[in-house]
């Protein structure tokens, strides 16, 4: 066969030598070109695909594989209804499926929340003394009203309190100002003395009237 | 649709969403099966082998559909690159060419004859397949890409690595060789 191919090549070269100008005709094609065009048409029109034994089976197989690989879309038009998943055959199931997912997620979140709640840190038991402190009402209603008045932001200091405050070092002098407003300090607070805060005598507690 | 008709509009319509839509992939399968099959058949001759390689080509295309970028190449060029690689791989591994005697050509009639099949002369097809064996592998590859796959010279040049003008020259000479092979066969038969 290779020898035959070589003979064809030799013949082709001889043909080209014998027709140097191509012998072009009035329509612009030489006889050799015309033959080539005719042959090209035969090649282009020839169809062997009816010989295929796998065309339809391959199509079905590819449709199934494509649907499996790309589950977000529906391959229903390419498969027989009997081979489709139930949710693809029944629109009701198809519409219920998203609700099922939502319900599943909600149940999962509920279970996880309960689990965290049960496994999380438990509140410690109060000691009897603390319980008494928390739930014992004040002994004197007058003391309650005095405390409320003392802690009120609208209250002005008594002369005694003002004198006490003036004697305090500037580092621990308390400043009262409304929430959101800038503190009206005489000078910026550079530091707070921790020992003075820890010393009970440094910050006198206003006496009840 | 003729064999050489390039379904550009349909291809563009489906190729843009083929990576996410099995419907688009199957539509492209319908568009390209005939051309892929004929391309492989021109190069391999054997119908059973052609079925195998054609199936592999489409299955590989589906496996790697995520790699396909419509903006880089038409789907057909991408698909025929896969088919061509499979054919080349087969020819390399088999280390031989399948020379099919003329007597055996045409013994694989289609299960469902189409009107086209009735119209086209089976003898002509058999002669074409036999004559294609008389040209070199490269010529047969280019002839198949041009006339079975229906690709443009530019696209063939991209796939094969040749220049576009070189593809045209090789194709023209291959056609003349093929024509001579057919003439020789006719003279031999006479």
């Amino acid at each position: 066969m290779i020898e035959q191919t070589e003979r064809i090549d030799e013949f082709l070269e001889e043909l080209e030598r014998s027709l140097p100008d191509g012998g072009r005709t009035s329509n612009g094609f030489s006889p050799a070109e015309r033959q080539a065009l005719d042959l090209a048409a035969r090649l282009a029109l020839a169809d062997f695909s009816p010989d295929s034994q796998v065309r339809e089976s391959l199509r079905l197989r590819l449709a199934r594989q494509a649907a499996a690989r790309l589950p977000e879309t529906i391959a229903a038009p390419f498969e027989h209804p009997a081979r489709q998943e139930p949710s693809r055959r029944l629109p009701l199931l198809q519409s219920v499926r998203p609700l099922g997912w939502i319900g599943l997620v909600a149940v999962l979140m509920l279970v996880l929340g309960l689990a965290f709640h049960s496994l999380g840190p438990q509140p410690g038991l109060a000691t009897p003394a603390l319980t008494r402190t928390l739930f014992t009402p004040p002994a004197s209603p007058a003391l309650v009203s005095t405390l409320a008045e003392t802690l009120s932001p609208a209250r002005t200091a008594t002369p005694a309190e003002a004198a006490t405050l003036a004697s305090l070092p500037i580092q621990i002098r308390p400043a009262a100002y409304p929430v959101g407003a800038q503190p009206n300090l005489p000078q910026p607070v550079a530091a707070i003395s921790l020992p003075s805060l820890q010393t009970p005598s440094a910050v006198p507690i206003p006496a009840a009237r | 649709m003729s064999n050489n008709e390039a379904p550009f509009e349909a291809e563009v319509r489906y190729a843009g969403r083929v990576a996410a839509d099995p419907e688009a992939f199957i539509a492209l399968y319908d568009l390209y099966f005939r051309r892929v099959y004929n391309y492989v058949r021109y190069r391999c001759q054997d119908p059973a082998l052609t079925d195998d390689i054609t199936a592999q080509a489409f299955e590989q295309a589906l496996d790697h559909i995520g790699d396909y970028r419509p903006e880089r190449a038409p789907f057909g060029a991408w698909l025929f690159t896969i088919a061509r690689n499979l054919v080349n791989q087969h020819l390399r591994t088999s280390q031989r060419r399948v020379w099919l005697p003329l007597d055996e050509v045409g013994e694989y009639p289609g299960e469902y004859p189409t009107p086209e099949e009735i119209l086209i002369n089976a003898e002509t097809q058999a002669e074409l397949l036999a004559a294609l064996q008389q040209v070199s592998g490269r010529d047969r590859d280019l002839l198949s890409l041009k006339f079975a796959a229906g690709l443009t010279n530019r696209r063939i040049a991209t796939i094969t690595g040749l220049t576009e003008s070189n593809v045209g020259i090789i194709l023209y000479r291959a056609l003349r060789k093929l024509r001579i092979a057919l003439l020789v066969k006719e003279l031999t038969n006479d």
Side-chain angles (χ1 to χ4, degrees):
Chain A
M1 289 297 179
I2 295 176
E3 183 183 356
Q4 192 174 4
T5 304
E6 291 174 351
R7 279 179 18 220
I8 292 173
D9 288 335
E10 292 173 2
F11 182 77
L12 183 60
E13 292 174 0
E14 290 174 359
L15 185 66
E16 288 177 341
R17 282 197 299 270
S18 65
L19 298 171
D21 59 352
R24 292 184 179 276
T25 60
S26 58
N27 60 3
F29 294 107
S30 68
E33 288 171 337
R34 172 63 64 188
Q35 290 172 352
L37 288 174
D38 292 341
L39 183 56
R42 287 175 60 183
L43 280 172
L45 291 173
D47 181 18
F48 300 91
S49 64
D51 295 350
S52 174
Q53 304 292 322
V54 300
R55 182 170 190 162
E56 291 305 317
S57 60
L58 176 62
R59 186 179 190 277
L60 284 175
R61 191 164 75 240
L62 289 171
R64 281 195 291 270
Q65 291 177 1
R69 290 172 61 89
L70 310 167
E72 296 302 320
T73 52
I74 301 171
F78 306 105
E79 294 192 14
H80 192 276
R83 296 181 178 179
Q84 296 171 7
E85 296 176 24
S87 62
R88 299 194 188 285
R89 290 202 305 267
L90 303 175
L92 179 61
L93 282 178
Q94 200 170 4
S95 62
V96 164
R97 174 174 283 186
L99 295 176
W101 280 108
I102 293 172
L104 181 62
V105 170
V107 169
L108 190 62
M109 290 177 66
L110 181 63
V111 169
L112 286 176
L114 289 174
F116 277 117
H117 184 71
S118 61
L119 296 177
Q122 298 293 327
L125 293 175
T127 61
L130 180 60
T131 305
R132 280 197 304 275
T133 303
L134 291 175
F135 295 101
T136 301
S140 170
L143 178 59
V144 174
S145 61
T146 302
L147 283 173
E149 184 182 357
T150 303
L151 298 175
S152 172
R155 173 181 172 275
T156 57
T158 63
E161 290 169 349
T164 303
L165 289 174
S167 65
L168 286 175
I170 191 65
Q171 289 87 349
I172 61 169
R173 184 176 297 170
Y177 52 90
V179 175
Q182 294 298 322
N184 185 18
L185 297 175
Q187 64 183 47
V189 176
I192 295 177
S193 173
L194 187 60
S196 64
L197 289 175
Q198 292 173 338
T199 305
S201 59
V203 184
I205 301 174
R209 285 184 296 178
Chain B
M1 185 173 65
S2 72
N3 188 34
N4 202 23
E5 181 181 348
F8 293 117
E9 293 182 0
E11 177 184 312
V12 170
R13 186 166 66 250
Y14 293 121
R17 54 190 174 95
V18 69
D21 187 357
E23 181 181 350
F25 185 85
I26 297 303
L28 289 171
Y29 170 85
D30 291 338
L31 282 174
Y32 279 101
F33 178 85
R34 171 178 168 168
R35 294 164 65 187
V36 172
Y37 185 91
N38 285 333
Y39 166 75
V40 178
R41 183 72 182 273
Y42 274 167
R43 295 196 63 192
C44 294
Q45 305 286 308
D46 179 43
L49 180 60
T50 302
D51 271 339
D52 289 344
I53 294 179
T54 302
Q56 287 179 44
F58 281 103
E59 286 171 344
Q60 282 198 10
L62 179 59
D63 287 342
H64 297 90
I65 198 65
D67 300 333
Y68 170 63
R69 297 289 179 269
E71 66 275 10
R72 292 177 61 183
F75 182 82
W78 184 70
L79 180 61
F80 280 110
T81 301
I82 295 174
R84 182 171 179 268
N85 288 339
L86 287 171
V87 173
N88 290 342
Q89 184 181 1
H90 166 75
L91 294 178
R92 277 197 303 270
T93 53
S94 64
Q95 294 293 318
R96 64 183 175 84
R97 294 184 178 182
V98 180
W99 300 103
L100 199 61
L102 267 180
D103 296 340
E104 296 183 12
V105 176
E107 288 186 358
Y108 303 89
E111 188 176 357
Y112 305 104
T114 63
E116 281 184 338
E117 188 182 20
I118 297 172
L119 291 175
I120 295 176
N121 190 336
E123 187 177 355
T124 300
Q125 294 193 13
E127 290 174 353
L128 277 177
L129 284 177
L132 276 169
Q133 298 305 309
Q134 308 302 316
V135 300
S136 68
R138 185 191 65 173
D139 290 351
R140 191 161 59 250
D141 182 24
L142 292 189
L143 287 171
S144 305
L145 287 172
K146 179 68 177 178
F147 300 110
L151 300 180
T152 63
N153 287 4
R154 176 172 299 180
R155 192 57 62 189
I156 293 173
T158 304
I159 292 175
T160 59
L162 300 168
T163 64
E164 187 176 351
S165 59
N166 206 10
V167 168
I169 293 171
I170 294 172
L171 276 174
Y172 178 67
R173 290 183 175 173
L175 278 174
R176 296 178 72 176
K177 292 177 189 176
L178 191 61
R179 175 62 185 165
I180 292 167
L182 284 169
L183 289 173
V184 169
K185 191 62 189 175
E186 287 176 9
L187 291 174
T188 305
N189 289 341
D190 291 342

